Amino acid sequence: MIGITGFGAYIPRRRLSRRSIVEANKWFNPAFASMAKGERAVCNWDEDALTMAVEATRDGLNGGAVDDLGAIFLCSTSLPFQDRLNVGILRAALMLPEDALALDVASCLRSGTSGLVGALKMLKGAPQRILCVASDKRRTKGGSVQELQYGDGAAAIVLGSEGVVAEYIGCGQVAEDFVDHYRTNEMVFDYGWEERWIRDEGYREIMPRAVKALFASTGLKPGDVHHLIVPAARSVATQLTRAIGVGEEALHDCLDTQVGDCGTAHSLLMLADLLQQAEPDRTIVLLGWGQGCDALAFRTTDAIKRALPHLGVKGCLARRTQDTNYTRHLAFNQLMVLDHGLRAETDRSTSLSALYRNRQMITALVGGRCSRCGTAQYPRSEICVNPNCRADGTQEPYSFRDIRARVQSWTSDNLIYCPDPPQRFGMVAFEGGGRLMVDFTDTEDGELEVGAPVRMVFRIKEYDKVRSFAKYFWKAVPDA
C-alpha cells in the first residue's frame, strides 16, 4: 500500500478584509460590492512562496525524522527565482537529505496535483518517502477581480508506504491547452479571459472527462465517492457533481471566504483541510485544474486519526489577524509608489561566496554545542563560550531552528528602515541554552513582552532591489 503518510499547511496570519478592497475601488467599479464577503490570506512583506513552503513542510513533517526522504517536489507558479533551484533553498533550510531528488515543478496551476501524481508513480516499489509541497503567492493588479479572489498559502503532503493515512487508489488525467489565463516572462500579473466561457467550455467540459478517466482506471463509481475536492467556486463544483453523478453533499469547503484561491497550492490545501477531519474508510476524489485536469482518488485508513499535523489548516485559520489596511497591502506588493525615505536607499549586496561558506549558519540556523560541557551557542566558534569550559575545537553542529525560545529583551525602532515599521528586534534565549539577537515579525502593538514564548520562522531578511535578490534568514514570532 502506498499513499499519504503526513500532511501540513501554512496560511499567512494576516487576513485582508475583502470589504476594505471593495470600499477603496467601488468608485470606478460598483459591481465589486457583490464580492465583499469574507477575507483573503495575504503574506507579510517578508513572506513569499518559498517561506510559506518551508512552514508548510515543517507542519507536515511535524518534527519527525527526514533521513528517509528520497525526493522533494516544490510546486508553484510564483517561486522567487527563475534560474535557481528554489527547492534547494527549502532543502537547505530544513536540512533535508542532500542526496534526495529535488525538483521545482512550475508553469501551471495544476502542477500541485501533477507533482503529486508524479511523486506517487515514483513511489511505487521505492522504500523511501517523498515530499510534495505546493505554494503560491500570486501578485494581482490593484482593483482587479483577482485581487479579491486570490489568496496566499501552502500545503505539504508526505507520501510513503508505512503509516499510510490515505491509500492511493489511482488517477485520471486530461491535458488540454485551454487558456483561461496566462502569464509570460514579460508580465507581472495574470491575464484572464471571460468567466462564463471558462465555466462553460473549461470546467464543464474538461473536469468531467478527468473524473470519468479516473472512474474507468480504478473501477470507482460515483456512489463510492464520500468527499469531492474541487478547487473552484461552489457554483462550478455543484455543476460538476451533477455531470459526474456524485452527490452535492460530497463537496468539501473550498475555503474561498476564509483564504481565497491559493493557486497551485489550493487543491492540496483543501486536501490537508479534509484529512484533518476525515474518518477512516472514506473515499476522496481530488481535482487539480490548469490547462487540463488531474483527478486522484484516495481512501482513508484507520491511521488517519494518529497522523495529525502540528497546526494544519484548522490551526492556521484560528491563528489570524484581521487587516483592513488596503494601502499597506498595495505597498507590500509594490502596487503603489511609496517614499520609503533615505534609509531605504542603503545598498547592501550579498556576497554569494560568503553565503555559500556560511550556508548552514544562515539558511538552517545551525550554531554549535560544546561536546565537553554541553553549552549551546550561536554562531559556532572554535572556543566554547562557557567561561568555565573554554574548550578548543569541541563545537558540534546544533540547530536552533525548532527549539522554542523566550524573549529576553526587545525594542521597537521607528528610525531603522523596515517595510512594515516599526522594526522590532531583540534577544531571545533558547530552551536548553543559547541566545540570539533576532528580528521579530508577525507582531502587533502590545504583543511582545519579556518572557513571552517565541518560535523561529524562515523569512526574507532583506530584499536587494538593485540586484533583485531576496536574502533569507530566521526570525522570531509569538508562539501562542
Side-chain angles (χ1 to χ4, degrees):
M1 177 193 302
I2 64 169
I4 298 169
T5 61
F7 53 93
Y10 179 77
I11 300 170
R13 183 184 183 189
R14 197 183 298 273
R15 312 293 159 72
L16 182 62
S17 161
R18 289 196 177 98
R19 173 67 63 185
S20 64
I21 302 175
V22 169
E23 290 296 324
N25 293 289
K26 66 180 182 182
W27 60 274
F28 78 93
N29 193 345
F32 277 173
S34 63
M35 305 176 69
K37 182 181 178 182
E39 55 194 18
R40 55 161 294 187
V42 292
C43 282
N44 202 342
W45 74 268
D46 56 358
E47 294 181 292
D48 62 12
L50 184 56
T51 65
M52 291 193 295
V54 169
E55 292 305 312
T57 300
R58 296 175 79 188
D59 193 49
L61 295 173
N62 202 5
V66 298
D67 294 343
D68 61 340
L69 282 177
I72 311 163
F73 290 64
L74 175 55
C75 314
S76 177
T77 66
S78 55
L79 291 172
F81 292 95
Q82 290 194 19
D83 189 355
R84 182 184 177 186
L85 188 62
N86 295 275
V87 70
I89 305 172
L90 181 149
R91 188 213 65 75
L94 300 181
M95 299 181 71
L96 303 180
E98 64 179 14
D99 59 348
L101 174 65
L103 290 176
D104 288 343
V105 186
S107 299
C108 174
L109 291 187
R110 191 159 55 99
S111 62
T113 50
S114 295
L116 198 60
V117 171
L120 285 162
K121 290 183 176 179
M122 180 185 295
L123 187 61
K124 288 186 176 179
Q128 296 173 313
R129 293 187 301 161
I130 296 178
L131 168 67
C132 182
V133 55
S135 179
D136 246 341
K137 177 195 175 187
R138 294 177 292 170
R139 294 183 63 191
T140 61
K141 291 180 180 177
S144 64
V145 172
Q146 288 89 348
E147 187 177 48
L148 288 159
Q149 293 177 333
Y150 286 5
D152 303 327
I157 304 295
V158 184
L159 307 170
S161 57
E162 295 185 5
V164 173
V165 301
E167 179 187 7
Y168 175 58
I169 301 174
C171 75
Q173 292 179 287
V174 172
E176 194 73 79
D177 187 29
F178 179 82
V179 188
D180 54 352
H181 77 281
Y182 67 90
R183 186 171 73 244
T184 68
N185 287 338
E186 291 76 28
M187 296 167 64
V188 174
F189 309 106
D190 290 351
Y191 180 81
W193 201 244
E194 198 266 323
E195 292 182 6
R196 186 176 58 178
W197 178 75
I198 298 170
R199 181 193 63 209
D200 294 347
E201 295 294 329
Y203 289 123
R204 187 178 293 176
E205 297 295 327
I206 298 173
M207 275 188 168
R209 287 161 52 194
V211 176
K212 289 174 182 175
L214 170 69
F215 287 167
S217 65
T218 61
L220 286 175
K221 297 179 175 55
D224 298 329
V225 179
H226 298 101
H227 301 288
L228 179 62
I229 295 175
V230 183
R234 182 77 183 191
S235 58
V236 170
T238 300
Q239 289 183 357
L240 176 66
T241 61
R242 295 168 186 158
I244 62 176
V246 174
E248 187 178 340
E249 66 278 3
L251 286 175
H252 187 65
D253 180 11
C254 68
L255 304 173
D256 57 341
T257 59
Q258 305 134 292
V259 182
D261 179 357
C262 296
T264 302
H266 204 73
S267 292
L268 303 193
L269 197 66
M270 292 175 67
L271 175 62
D273 181 43
L274 173 59
L275 291 174
Q276 201 169 359
Q277 54 191 298
E279 297 292 329
D281 198 28
R282 312 296 284 179
T283 301
I284 301 168
V285 170
L286 167 70
L287 301 188
W289 171 256
Q291 284 75 65
C293 183
D294 295 323
L296 297 86
F298 297 92
R299 184 176 294 113
T300 55
T301 71
D302 291 338
I304 188 67
K305 293 297 184 184
R306 300 191 295 272
L308 296 179
H310 176 62
L311 281 177
V313 173
K314 304 299 180 195
C316 291
L317 290 177
R319 191 183 60 181
R320 61 184 286 279
T321 299
Q322 187 174 35
D323 189 353
T324 58
N325 191 333
Y326 179 63
T327 304
R328 180 164 53 191
H329 167 72
L330 296 179
F332 281 4
N333 290 278
Q334 296 81 52
L335 296 171
M336 62 181 291
V337 179
L338 190 68
D339 184 359
H340 290 279
L342 294 175
R343 289 186 172 87
E345 298 174 3
T346 304
D347 182 13
R348 288 192 286 265
S349 68
T350 297
S351 167
L352 299 181
S353 52
L355 174 63
Y356 183 72
R357 282 196 302 272
N358 299 294
R359 58 191 182 281
Q360 278 201 340
M361 181 180 74
I362 295 172
T363 310
L365 200 62
V366 173
R369 184 169 59 182
C370 178
S371 60
R372 177 177 297 177
C373 70
T375 298
Q377 64 180 76
Y378 186 95
R380 185 170 56 174
S381 63
E382 289 298 318
I383 307 296
C384 176
V385 295
N386 183 348
N388 298 319
C389 178
R390 308 298 290 173
D392 187 356
T394 59
Q395 294 283 301
E396 298 175 338
Y398 183 70
S399 175
F400 290 90
R401 183 188 62 225
D402 296 320
I403 300 177
R404 296 185 183 279
R406 291 189 178 275
V407 178
Q408 196 168 54
S409 65
W410 69 278
T411 189
S412 184
D413 195 327
N414 274 298
L415 296 179
I416 299 175
Y417 169 66
C418 176
D420 187 21
Q423 173 82 335
R424 296 186 174 100
F425 59 95
M427 186 73 74
V428 298
F430 291 92
E431 294 178 2
R435 297 186 301 172
L436 179 65
M437 183 71 78
V438 297
D439 291 334
F440 296 101
T441 188
D442 285 357
T443 60
E444 305 295 333
D445 290 340
E447 197 170 11
L448 277 180
E449 59 182 18
V450 172
V454 293
R455 63 185 181 88
M456 306 307 293
V457 293
F458 189 69
R459 293 293 176 93
I460 296 172
K461 168 71 174 176
E462 188 177 15
Y463 190 76
D464 181 351
K465 295 180 181 177
V466 176
R467 302 161 192 85
S468 297
F469 191 81
K471 308 173 186 179
Y472 296 96
F473 191 57
W474 294 81
K475 299 181 180 180
V477 298
D479 189 16

Coordinates of all heavy atoms in Angstrom, one line a residue, residues 398-468:
Y398 N 24.7 22.3 15.8 CA 23.5 22.3 16.7 C 22.5 23.3 16.1 O 22.7 24.5 16.0 CB 23.9 22.7 18.1 CG 22.8 22.7 19.1 CD1 22.3 21.5 19.5 CD2 22.3 23.9 19.6 CE1 21.2 21.4 20.5 CE2 21.2 23.8 20.6 CZ 20.7 22.6 21.0 OH 19.7 22.6 21.9
S399 N 21.3 22.8 15.7 CA 20.3 23.6 15.0 C 19.4 24.2 16.0 O 18.8 23.5 16.9 CB 19.5 22.8 14.0 OG 18.5 23.6 13.5
F400 N 19.2 25.5 16.0 CA 18.2 26.2 16.8 C 16.9 26.3 16.2 O 16.0 26.9 16.8 CB 18.8 27.6 17.2 CG 20.0 27.6 18.1 CD1 21.3 27.5 17.5 CD2 19.8 27.6 19.4 CE1 22.4 27.5 18.4 CE2 20.9 27.6 20.3 CZ 22.2 27.6 19.8
R401 N 16.7 25.8 15.0 CA 15.5 26.1 14.2 C 14.2 25.7 14.9 O 13.2 26.4 14.9 CB 15.7 25.3 12.9 CG 14.5 25.5 11.9 CD 14.7 24.5 10.7 NE 14.7 23.1 11.2 CZ 15.5 22.2 10.8 NH1 16.5 22.5 10.0 NH2 15.4 21.0 11.3
D402 N 14.2 24.5 15.5 CA 13.0 24.0 16.1 C 12.9 24.1 17.6 O 12.1 23.5 18.2 CB 12.8 22.6 15.6 CG 12.6 22.4 14.1 OD1 11.9 23.3 13.6 OD2 13.1 21.5 13.5
I403 N 13.8 24.8 18.2 CA 13.9 25.0 19.6 C 13.1 26.2 20.1 O 13.3 27.3 19.5 CB 15.4 25.1 20.1 CG1 16.1 23.8 19.7 CG2 15.4 25.3 21.6 CD1 17.6 23.9 20.0
R404 N 12.2 26.0 21.0 CA 11.4 27.2 21.5 C 12.3 28.1 22.3 O 13.3 27.7 22.9 CB 10.3 26.7 22.3 CG 9.3 25.8 21.5 CD 8.1 25.4 22.3 NE 7.2 24.6 21.5 CZ 6.3 25.0 20.6 NH1 6.2 26.3 20.4 NH2 5.6 24.2 19.9
A405 N 11.9 29.3 22.3 CA 12.7 30.4 23.0 C 11.8 31.3 23.7 O 10.5 31.3 23.6 CB 13.6 31.1 22.0
R406 N 12.4 32.2 24.5 CA 11.6 33.2 25.2 C 12.3 34.6 25.0 O 13.5 34.6 24.9 CB 11.5 32.9 26.7 CG 10.6 31.7 27.0 CD 10.2 31.6 28.4 NE 9.3 30.4 28.6 CZ 8.0 30.5 28.5 NH1 7.4 31.7 28.3 NH2 7.3 29.5 28.7
V407 N 11.5 35.6 24.9 CA 12.0 37.0 24.7 C 12.8 37.4 26.0 O 12.3 37.3 27.1 CB 10.9 38.0 24.5 CG1 11.4 39.4 24.3 CG2 10.1 37.6 23.2
Q408 N 14.0 37.7 25.8 CA 14.9 38.2 26.9 C 14.9 39.7 26.9 O 15.0 40.3 28.0 CB 16.3 37.6 26.8 CG 17.1 37.7 28.0 CD 18.4 36.9 27.9 OE1 19.1 37.1 27.0 NE2 18.6 36.1 28.9
S409 N 14.9 40.3 25.8 CA 14.8 41.8 25.7 C 14.3 42.2 24.3 O 14.4 41.4 23.4 CB 16.1 42.5 25.9 OG 17.0 42.1 24.9
W410 N 13.7 43.3 24.2 CA 13.2 43.7 22.8 C 13.1 45.2 22.8 O 12.9 45.9 23.8 CB 11.9 43.0 22.5 CG 10.7 43.5 23.3 CD1 10.3 43.1 24.5 CD2 9.7 44.5 22.9 NE1 9.2 43.8 25.0 CE2 8.8 44.7 24.0 CE3 9.6 45.3 21.8 CZ2 7.8 45.6 23.9 CZ3 8.5 46.2 21.7 CH2 7.6 46.3 22.8
T411 N 13.1 45.8 21.6 CA 12.9 47.2 21.4 C 12.2 47.4 20.1 O 12.1 46.5 19.2 CB 14.3 47.9 21.3 OG1 14.0 49.3 21.3 CG2 15.0 47.6 20.0
S412 N 11.6 48.6 20.0 CA 10.8 48.9 18.8 C 11.3 50.2 18.2 O 11.4 51.2 19.0 CB 9.3 49.1 19.2 OG 8.5 49.3 18.1
D413 N 11.8 50.2 17.0 CA 12.6 51.3 16.5 C 11.9 51.9 15.2 O 11.8 51.1 14.2 CB 14.0 50.9 16.2 CG 15.0 52.0 16.0 OD1 14.5 53.0 15.4 OD2 16.1 51.9 16.3
N414 N 11.6 53.1 15.2 CA 11.0 53.7 14.0 C 12.0 54.4 13.1 O 11.6 54.9 12.0 CB 9.9 54.8 14.4 CG 8.6 54.2 14.7 OD1 8.0 53.6 13.7 ND2 8.1 54.2 15.9
L415 N 13.3 54.5 13.5 CA 14.3 55.1 12.7 C 14.9 54.2 11.7 O 15.4 54.6 10.7 CB 15.4 55.7 13.6 CG 14.9 56.9 14.5 CD1 16.0 57.4 15.4 CD2 14.3 58.0 13.7
I416 N 15.0 52.9 12.1 CA 15.6 51.9 11.2 C 14.6 51.6 10.1 O 13.4 51.5 10.4 CB 15.9 50.6 12.0 CG1 17.0 50.9 13.1 CG2 16.4 49.5 11.0 CD1 17.2 49.7 13.9
Y417 N 15.1 51.5 8.8 CA 14.1 51.2 7.8 C 13.5 49.8 7.9 O 14.3 48.9 8.1 CB 14.8 51.4 6.4 CG 13.9 50.8 5.3 CD1 12.7 51.5 5.0 CD2 14.2 49.7 4.6 CE1 11.9 51.0 4.0 CE2 13.4 49.1 3.6 CZ 12.2 49.8 3.3 OH 11.4 49.3 2.4
C418 N 12.2 49.8 7.8 CA 11.5 48.5 7.7 C 10.3 48.7 6.9 O 9.6 49.7 7.0 CB 11.1 48.0 9.2 SG 10.1 46.5 9.2
P419 N 10.0 47.8 5.9 CA 8.8 47.9 5.1 C 7.5 48.0 5.9 O 6.5 48.4 5.4 CB 8.9 46.7 4.2 CG 10.3 46.3 4.2 CD 10.8 46.6 5.5
D420 N 7.5 47.5 7.1 CA 6.3 47.5 8.0 C 6.7 48.0 9.4 O 6.9 47.3 10.3 CB 5.7 46.1 8.1 CG 4.4 46.1 8.8 OD1 3.8 47.2 8.9 OD2 4.0 45.1 9.4
P421 N 7.0 49.3 9.5 CA 7.5 49.9 10.7 C 6.5 49.8 11.9 O 5.3 49.7 11.6 CB 7.8 51.3 10.3 CG 6.9 51.6 9.2 CD 6.8 50.4 8.5
P422 N 7.0 49.8 13.1 CA 8.4 49.9 13.5 C 9.1 48.6 13.4 O 8.5 47.5 13.4 CB 8.3 50.4 15.0 CG 7.1 49.7 15.4 CD 6.1 49.7 14.3
Q423 N 10.5 48.7 13.3 CA 11.3 47.5 13.3 C 11.4 47.0 14.7 O 11.8 47.7 15.7 CB 12.7 47.8 12.8 CG 13.7 46.7 12.9 CD 13.6 45.7 11.8 OE1 12.5 45.5 11.2 NE2 14.6 45.0 11.5
R424 N 11.0 45.7 15.0 CA 11.1 45.1 16.3 C 12.2 44.1 16.3 O 12.2 43.2 15.5 CB 9.7 44.5 16.7 CG 8.6 45.6 16.8 CD 7.3 44.9 17.4 NE 6.3 45.9 17.6 CZ 5.3 46.2 16.8 NH1 5.2 45.5 15.7 NH2 4.4 47.1 17.1
F425 N 13.1 44.2 17.3 CA 14.2 43.2 17.4 C 14.6 43.1 18.8 O 14.3 44.0 19.7 CB 15.4 43.6 16.5 CG 16.0 45.0 16.8 CD1 17.1 45.1 17.6 CD2 15.4 46.1 16.2 CE1 17.6 46.3 17.9 CE2 16.0 47.4 16.5 CZ 17.1 47.5 17.4
G426 N 15.4 42.1 19.1 CA 15.8 41.9 20.5 C 16.5 40.6 20.7 O 16.8 39.9 19.7
M427 N 16.7 40.2 21.9 CA 17.4 39.0 22.3 C 16.4 37.9 22.7 O 15.5 38.2 23.4 CB 18.4 39.3 23.4 CG 19.3 38.1 23.8 SD 20.6 37.8 22.5 CE 21.7 39.2 22.9
V428 N 16.6 36.7 22.2 CA 15.8 35.6 22.6 C 16.7 34.5 23.2 O 17.9 34.4 22.8 CB 15.0 35.0 21.5 CG1 14.0 36.0 20.9 CG2 15.9 34.4 20.4
A429 N 16.2 33.8 24.3 CA 17.0 32.8 24.9 C 16.3 31.5 24.6 O 15.1 31.3 24.9 CB 17.1 33.0 26.4
F430 N 17.1 30.5 24.1 CA 16.5 29.2 23.7 C 16.5 28.3 24.9 O 17.3 28.3 25.8 CB 17.4 28.6 22.6 CG 17.3 29.3 21.3 CD1 18.2 30.3 21.0 CD2 16.3 29.0 20.4 CE1 18.1 31.0 19.8 CE2 16.2 29.7 19.2 CZ 17.1 30.7 18.9
E431 N 15.5 27.4 24.9 CA 15.4 26.3 25.9 C 16.6 25.4 25.7 O 16.9 25.0 24.6 CB 14.1 25.5 25.7 CG 12.8 26.3 26.0 CD 11.6 25.5 25.8 OE1 11.7 24.3 25.4 OE2 10.5 26.0 25.9
G432 N 17.3 25.2 26.8 CA 18.5 24.3 26.7 C 19.7 25.1 26.5 O 20.8 24.5 26.4
G433 N 19.6 26.4 26.4 CA 20.8 27.3 26.2 C 21.0 27.9 24.9 O 20.5 27.4 23.9
G434 N 21.7 29.0 24.8 CA 21.9 29.7 23.5 C 21.1 30.9 23.5 O 19.9 30.8 23.8
R435 N 21.6 32.0 23.0 CA 20.9 33.2 22.8 C 21.2 33.8 21.4 O 22.2 33.5 20.8 CB 21.3 34.3 23.8 CG 21.0 33.9 25.3 CD 21.3 35.0 26.2 NE 22.7 35.4 26.2 CZ 23.1 36.5 26.8 NH1 22.3 37.3 27.5 NH2 24.4 36.8 26.7
L436 N 20.2 34.6 20.9 CA 20.4 35.1 19.6 C 19.7 36.5 19.5 O 18.5 36.6 19.9 CB 19.8 34.1 18.6 CG 19.8 34.5 17.1 CD1 21.3 34.6 16.6 CD2 19.1 33.5 16.2
M437 N 20.3 37.4 18.8 CA 19.7 38.7 18.5 C 18.9 38.5 17.2 O 19.5 38.2 16.2 CB 20.7 39.8 18.4 CG 20.2 41.2 18.1 SD 19.3 41.9 19.5 CE 20.8 42.4 20.5
V438 N 17.6 38.7 17.3 CA 16.8 38.4 16.1 C 15.8 39.6 15.8 O 15.5 40.5 16.7 CB 15.9 37.2 16.4 CG1 16.8 35.9 16.5 CG2 15.0 37.4 17.6
D439 N 15.3 39.6 14.6 CA 14.1 40.4 14.3 C 12.8 39.7 14.7 O 12.8 38.4 14.5 CB 14.1 40.7 12.8 CG 15.2 41.6 12.3 OD1 15.8 42.4 13.2 OD2 15.7 41.5 11.2
F440 N 11.8 40.4 15.1 CA 10.5 39.8 15.4 C 9.6 40.2 14.2 O 9.7 41.3 13.6 CB 9.9 40.4 16.7 CG 10.7 40.0 17.9 CD1 11.5 40.9 18.5 CD2 10.6 38.8 18.4 CE1 12.3 40.6 19.6 CE2 11.3 38.4 19.6 CZ 12.2 39.4 20.2
T441 N 8.8 39.3 13.8 CA 7.8 39.5 12.7 C 6.4 39.0 13.1 O 6.3 38.3 14.1 CB 8.3 38.9 11.4 OG1 7.5 39.3 10.3 CG2 8.3 37.4 11.5
D442 N 5.4 39.4 12.4 CA 4.0 39.0 12.7 C 3.7 39.4 14.1 O 3.0 38.6 14.8 CB 3.8 37.5 12.5 CG 3.8 37.1 11.0 OD1 3.8 38.0 10.2 OD2 3.7 35.9 10.8
T443 N 4.1 40.6 14.5 CA 3.7 41.0 15.8 C 2.9 42.3 15.7 O 3.0 43.1 14.8 CB 5.0 41.4 16.7 OG1 5.7 42.4 16.0 CG2 5.9 40.1 16.8
E444 N 2.0 42.5 16.7 CA 1.2 43.6 16.8 C 1.6 44.4 18.1 O 2.2 43.9 19.0 CB -0.3 43.2 16.9 CG -0.7 42.3 15.7 CD -0.7 43.0 14.4 OE1 -0.8 44.3 14.3 OE2 -0.5 42.3 13.3
D445 N 1.1 45.7 18.1 CA 1.4 46.5 19.3 C 0.9 45.8 20.5 O -0.3 45.3 20.6 CB 0.7 47.9 19.1 CG 1.4 48.7 18.1 OD1 2.5 48.4 17.7 OD2 0.7 49.7 17.6
G446 N 1.7 45.8 21.6 CA 1.3 45.2 22.8 C 1.4 43.7 22.9 O 1.1 43.1 23.9
E447 N 1.9 43.1 21.8 CA 2.0 41.6 21.8 C 3.3 41.1 22.4 O 3.4 40.0 23.0 CB 1.8 41.1 20.4 CG 1.5 39.6 20.3 CD 1.1 39.2 18.9 OE1 1.2 40.0 18.0 OE2 0.6 38.1 18.7
L448 N 4.4 41.9 22.2 CA 5.7 41.4 22.7 C 5.9 41.8 24.2 O 5.6 42.9 24.5 CB 6.8 42.0 21.9 CG 7.2 41.3 20.5 CD1 8.3 42.1 19.9 CD2 7.6 39.9 20.8
E449 N 6.5 40.9 24.9 CA 6.9 41.3 26.3 C 8.0 40.3 26.7 O 8.1 39.2 26.2 CB 5.7 41.1 27.3 CG 5.0 39.8 27.3 CD 3.8 39.8 28.3 OE1 3.3 40.8 28.6 OE2 3.4 38.6 28.6
V450 N 8.8 40.8 27.7 CA 9.9 39.9 28.2 C 9.3 38.7 28.8 O 8.4 38.7 29.6 CB 10.7 40.7 29.2 CG1 11.7 39.8 29.9 CG2 11.4 41.9 28.5
G451 N 9.9 37.5 28.4 CA 9.5 36.2 28.9 C 8.5 35.6 28.1 O 8.1 34.4 28.3
A452 N 7.9 36.3 27.0 CA 6.9 35.7 26.2 C 7.6 34.6 25.3 O 8.7 34.7 24.8 CB 6.3 36.7 25.3
P453 N 6.8 33.4 25.1 CA 7.4 32.4 24.2 C 7.4 32.8 22.7 O 6.4 33.4 22.3 CB 6.5 31.2 24.5 CG 5.2 31.8 24.9 CD 5.5 33.1 25.6
V454 N 8.4 32.4 22.0 CA 8.5 32.7 20.6 C 9.0 31.4 19.9 O 9.6 30.5 20.5 CB 9.4 33.8 20.3 CG1 8.9 35.1 20.8 CG2 10.8 33.6 20.8
R455 N 8.8 31.3 18.6 CA 9.4 30.3 17.8 C 10.0 30.9 16.6 O 9.7 32.0 16.2 CB 8.3 29.2 17.4 CG 7.2 29.7 16.6 CD 6.2 28.7 16.3 NE 5.1 29.3 15.5 CZ 5.1 29.2 14.1 NH1 6.1 28.6 13.5 NH2 4.2 29.7 13.4
M456 N 10.9 30.1 15.9 CA 11.7 30.6 14.8 C 11.0 30.3 13.5 O 10.4 29.2 13.3 CB 13.1 30.1 14.8 CG 13.9 30.3 16.1 SD 13.9 32.0 16.6 CE 14.9 32.7 15.3
V457 N 10.9 31.2 12.6 CA 10.3 31.0 11.2 C 11.3 31.5 10.2 O 12.1 32.5 10.4 CB 9.0 31.8 11.1 CG1 7.9 31.1 12.0 CG2 9.1 33.2 11.4
F458 N 11.2 30.9 9.0 CA 12.1 31.2 7.9 C 11.5 32.4 7.1 O 10.3 32.2 6.6 CB 12.3 30.0 7.0 CG 13.3 30.1 5.9 CD1 14.6 30.2 6.2 CD2 12.9 30.2 4.6 CE1 15.6 30.3 5.2 CE2 13.9 30.3 3.6 CZ 15.2 30.3 3.9
R459 N 12.1 33.5 7.0 CA 11.6 34.7 6.3 C 12.6 35.4 5.5 O 13.8 35.1 5.5 CB 11.0 35.7 7.4 CG 9.8 35.2 8.2 CD 8.6 35.0 7.3 NE 7.5 34.4 8.0 CZ 6.5 35.1 8.6 NH1 6.6 36.4 8.6 NH2 5.6 34.5 9.2
I460 N 12.1 36.4 4.7 CA 13.0 37.3 4.0 C 13.6 38.3 5.0 O 12.9 39.0 5.7 CB 12.3 38.0 2.9 CG1 11.7 37.0 1.8 CG2 13.2 39.1 2.2 CD1 10.8 37.7 0.8
K461 N 14.9 38.3 5.1 CA 15.6 39.2 6.0 C 15.6 40.6 5.3 O 15.4 41.6 6.0 CB 17.0 38.7 6.2 CG 17.9 39.7 6.9 CD 17.6 39.9 8.4 CE 18.6 40.8 9.0 NZ 18.3 41.1 10.4
E462 N 15.9 40.6 4.1 CA 16.0 41.9 3.3 C 16.0 41.6 1.9 O 16.3 40.5 1.4 CB 17.4 42.5 3.7 CG 17.6 43.9 3.2 CD 19.0 44.5 3.6 OE1 19.8 43.7 4.1 OE2 19.1 45.7 3.5
Y463 N 15.5 42.6 1.1 CA 15.4 42.4 -0.3 C 16.3 43.4 -1.0 O 16.2 44.6 -0.8 CB 14.0 42.5 -0.8 CG 13.8 42.1 -2.3 CD1 13.8 40.8 -2.6 CD2 13.7 43.1 -3.3 CE1 13.6 40.4 -4.0 CE2 13.6 42.7 -4.6 CZ 13.5 41.4 -4.9 OH 13.4 41.0 -6.2
D464 N 17.3 42.9 -1.8 CA 18.2 43.7 -2.6 C 17.5 44.1 -3.9 O 17.5 43.4 -4.8 CB 19.5 42.9 -2.8 CG 20.5 43.8 -3.6 OD1 20.2 44.9 -4.1 OD2 21.7 43.3 -3.7
K465 N 17.0 45.4 -3.9 CA 16.2 45.8 -5.1 C 17.1 46.0 -6.3 O 16.7 45.9 -7.4 CB 15.4 47.1 -4.8 CG 14.3 46.9 -3.8 CD 13.6 48.2 -3.5 CE 12.5 48.0 -2.4 NZ 11.9 49.3 -2.1
V466 N 18.4 46.4 -6.0 CA 19.3 46.7 -7.1 C 19.6 45.4 -7.9 O 19.7 45.4 -9.1 CB 20.6 47.3 -6.6 CG1 21.6 47.5 -7.7 CG2 20.3 48.6 -5.9
R467 N 19.7 44.3 -7.2 CA 20.1 43.0 -7.8 C 19.0 42.0 -7.8 O 19.2 40.8 -8.2 CB 21.3 42.4 -7.2 CG 22.5 43.4 -7.2 CD 23.6 43.1 -6.2 NE 24.6 44.2 -6.1 CZ 24.4 45.2 -5.4 NH1 23.3 45.3 -4.6 NH2 25.3 46.2 -5.4
S468 N 17.8 42.4 -7.4 CA 16.6 41.5 -7.3 C 16.9 40.2 -6.6 O 16.8 39.1 -7.1 CB 16.1 41.2 -8.7 OG 15.6 42.4 -9.3

